[in-house]
Amino acid sequence: MKTQVAIIGGGPAGLLLSQLLHTRGIDSVVLERKTKDYVLGRIRAGVLEQGLVNLMEEAGCAERMHAEGFTHDGTLISYGDEIFRVDFSEHTGMPVMIYGQTEVTRDLYEARENSDGKIEFEVQDVVIQGANTDTPHVYYTVGGAARRLDCDFVAGCDGFHGVSRQSIPLDVRREYEKIYPFGWLGILSETPPVNHELIYANSSRGFALCSMRNDNLSRYYIQCSLSDSPSDWTDEAFWEELKRRIPKEQADKLVTGPSIEKSIAPLRSFVTEPMRWGRLFLCGDAAHIVPPTGAKGLNTAASDVHYLFNALRNFYENGSEDGIDTYSEKALKRVWKAERFSWWFSSLLHRYPDQSAFDLKMQVADLEFLRSNKAAQQAMAENYVGLPY
Ligand code: APR
Ligand code: PHB
């Protein structure tokens, strides 16, 4: 088989890139290790920056998002019994869109299918060869049969555990990582959200987050120990713990119910440099991971897709290699800013096992500064709604 762009990974990054390329008549093939149902079964964050909303529009996939998503003009932050709001619209003129990553992925699959996009599911043994030559190709197997895909470029959109990053030689790659000493226990429940905007809570018992998917679907998280497993937490225990971590006024009106999903996610910051090697480009989780505080994972994948899409467009439409040559540098500049924000917002809100009395005072001072200072709120709001591409 032959295509212009071989895309490894059919998560949101790979699908969005494939669909955007299609709008410009650039051919791609997506190779996905799992089934479509498996990919759509993953519950991830649900806050979209305007940049991603724009890309979904450009890809022709924004109709359901605009019909079913909610725009949020601000968020609440609590510590102890104090609560304050950061107004995104006031500080940046922009809201965020509440729409689940699962729905984004579903819409992208539908668009690819409607335009006869080529997606191979359940592929195995993907090997990228010749990435540093003008004739890259990808070997893989599907249903036991060996295949070869020749292409001009390879987009590595295969997430943190994919093969693309590993295809870049070790002496070229530099990795930066921070592992956090706790996880997030999340549940999804068919109950009305406790508040019409998200609540990020710093409490002496640990972080909590009240989020949502729609009027009758709530997503809640509590900071937990890395040694916990979801089965250690009954729904009752989860709700009781959540109530202890959010202000009393919110706890009193929290509507509880059975969970329909319960899982624990570890928290990690990770970046690999460079994001390009020859004709191989890394995109999204394949190149970087952020802790979920601030919901930057999907949004940072989206900004990579934006830079890569424009680089490829420039190559095919204008014969220019400028975008390709500057892809890694441009993407990484924004990635590091999202890393900084996610790290800062995590450190503002969580309890760390080795936190000293001084560290705790610094956290409260940081929160009080944010609460009382317009410039601090503006900086937070600009990062939360998404820095410019
Ligand atoms: N071959 C083919 N596909 C692979 C391989 C492989 N060797 N390894 C992984 N994949 C697939 C995975 O099954 C997955 O569907 O690549 C896809 C990667 O998707 P995601 O992990 O969702 O990553 P990405 O598309 O970059 O999405 C951005 O940022 O913080 C996160 O939650 C956010 O998942 C979102 C991500
Ligand atoms: C979510 O709704 O799952 C969510 C929202 C905001 C975050 C993280 C996760 O910061």
Side-chain angles (χ1 to χ4, degrees):
M1 224 192 328
K2 195 167 173 18
T3 188
Q4 290 172 300
V5 184
I7 299 177
I8 321 293
L15 295 170
L16 180 58
L17 178 64
S18 176
Q19 182 62 16
L20 285 167
L21 291 172
H22 169 76
T23 64
R24 294 280 158 176
I26 302 167
D27 187 58
S28 67
V29 173
V30 175
L31 303 178
E32 167 56 48
R33 183 161 60 178
K34 303 286 188 185
T35 62
K36 181 172 146 190
D37 283 349
Y38 182 95
V39 175
L40 291 176
R42 292 194 286 236
I43 310 279
R44 301 272 175 84
V47 181
L48 314 189
E49 296 174 354
Q50 194 59 46
L52 175 50
V53 170
N54 295 344
L55 285 172
M56 289 292 281
E57 283 168 2
E58 196 173 349
C61 299
E63 205 175 308
R64 196 165 67 95
M65 175 183 72
H66 283 302
E68 295 177 18
F70 296 82
T71 56
H72 279 191
D73 289 319
T75 192
L76 297 178
I77 298 176
S78 74
Y79 53 111
D81 276 324
E82 308 282 343
I83 190 155
F84 64 96
R85 182 168 183 271
V86 177
D87 191 316
F88 306 143
S89 297
E90 175 193 341
H91 292 296
T92 71
M94 273 190 286
V96 290
M97 168 74 76
I98 302 300
Y99 191 62
Q101 176 175 325
T102 311
E103 305 312 316
V104 169
T105 312
R106 194 186 303 281
D107 294 345
L108 289 167
Y109 269 129
E110 199 184 301
R112 289 316 293 127
E113 283 159 8
N114 287 344
S115 34
D116 290 327
K118 281 170 254 149
I119 307 177
E120 291 246 50
F121 290 101
E122 297 185 87
V123 306
Q124 287 177 328
D125 311 321
V126 169
V127 178
I128 302 164
Q129 290 206 334
N132 58 342
T133 71
D134 285 345
T135 52
H137 45 281
V138 181
Y139 290 108
Y140 61 100
T141 58
V142 63
R147 299 274 165 84
R148 174 180 164 140
L149 177 61
D150 289 288
C151 54
D152 301 333
F153 299 100
V154 180
C157 305
D158 48 353
F160 185 64
H161 301 286
V163 295
S164 301
R165 184 174 68 254
Q166 314 295 343
S167 308
I168 302 182
L170 272 175
D171 60 348
V172 175
R173 241 191 301 152
R174 179 100 199 259
E175 301 191 338
Y176 303 83
E177 184 170 53
K178 180 179 174 65
I179 309 268
Y180 297 77
F182 40 73
W184 278 19
L185 168 65
I187 70 166
L188 197 60
S189 76
E190 284 166 328
T191 51
V194 66
N195 188 60
H196 70 284
E197 290 175 345
L198 274 61
I199 305 174
Y200 288 89
N202 171 316
S203 101
S204 60
R205 302 182 64 89
F207 170 74
L209 170 61
C210 306
S211 183
M212 67 198 70
R213 292 292 175 271
N214 60 46
D215 286 342
N216 198 44
L217 194 57
S218 296
R219 182 78 170 149
Y220 296 103
Y221 299 94
I222 54 175
Q223 174 184 349
C224 68
S225 162
L226 278 175
S227 58
D228 286 3
S229 94
S231 58
D232 297 337
W233 287 85
T234 61
D235 289 353
E236 291 67 31
F238 180 94
W239 293 120
E240 281 315 304
E241 188 56 34
L242 177 64
K243 283 184 193 170
R244 290 192 195 106
R245 296 185 187 193
I246 59 178
K248 186 172 182 313
E249 193 194 330
Q250 314 289 336
D252 287 346
K253 62 179 195 207
L254 180 74
V255 180
T256 66
S259 64
I260 55 171
E261 196 265 354
K262 191 187 280 164
S263 54
I264 292 183
L267 274 73
R268 183 197 299 265
S269 299
F270 173 87
V271 181
T272 192
E273 293 186 345
M275 285 173 60
R276 171 210 178 187
W277 185 59
R279 287 180 167 242
L280 167 64
F281 302 89
L282 302 181
C283 228
D285 276 21
H288 42 75
I289 297 285
V290 287
T293 333
K296 291 290 165 227
L298 173 62
N299 291 302
T300 311
S303 59
D304 294 348
V305 168
H306 162 85
Y307 294 125
L308 184 52
F309 166 56
N310 284 299
L312 294 171
R313 235 182 91 178
N314 232 328
F315 176 85
Y316 286 111
E317 292 175 1
N318 309 319
S320 160
E321 298 200 8
D322 288 358
I324 284 168
D325 290 338
T326 54
Y327 169 73
S328 178
E329 192 192 330
K330 272 193 202 154
L332 281 166
K333 259 196 184 145
R334 192 172 185 281
V335 163
W336 278 114
K337 289 178 197 158
E339 290 285 341
R340 186 208 66 83
F341 176 69
S342 307
W343 160 82
W344 167 76
F345 206 36
S346 297
S347 67
L348 184 73
L349 297 171
H350 290 80
R351 278 289 174 280
Y352 288 68
D354 60 353
Q355 230 165 2
S356 67
F358 180 85
D359 296 335
L360 284 167
K361 286 283 188 191
M362 288 299 97
Q363 212 180 43
V364 173
D366 210 352
L367 282 158
E368 295 202 338
F369 183 61
L370 181 60
R371 176 196 179 117
S372 59
N373 186 284
K374 290 268 181 222
Q377 289 192 6
Q378 176 160 353
M380 187 272 175
E382 282 182 15
N383 279 277
Y384 197 94
V385 303
L387 297 173
Y389 286 179

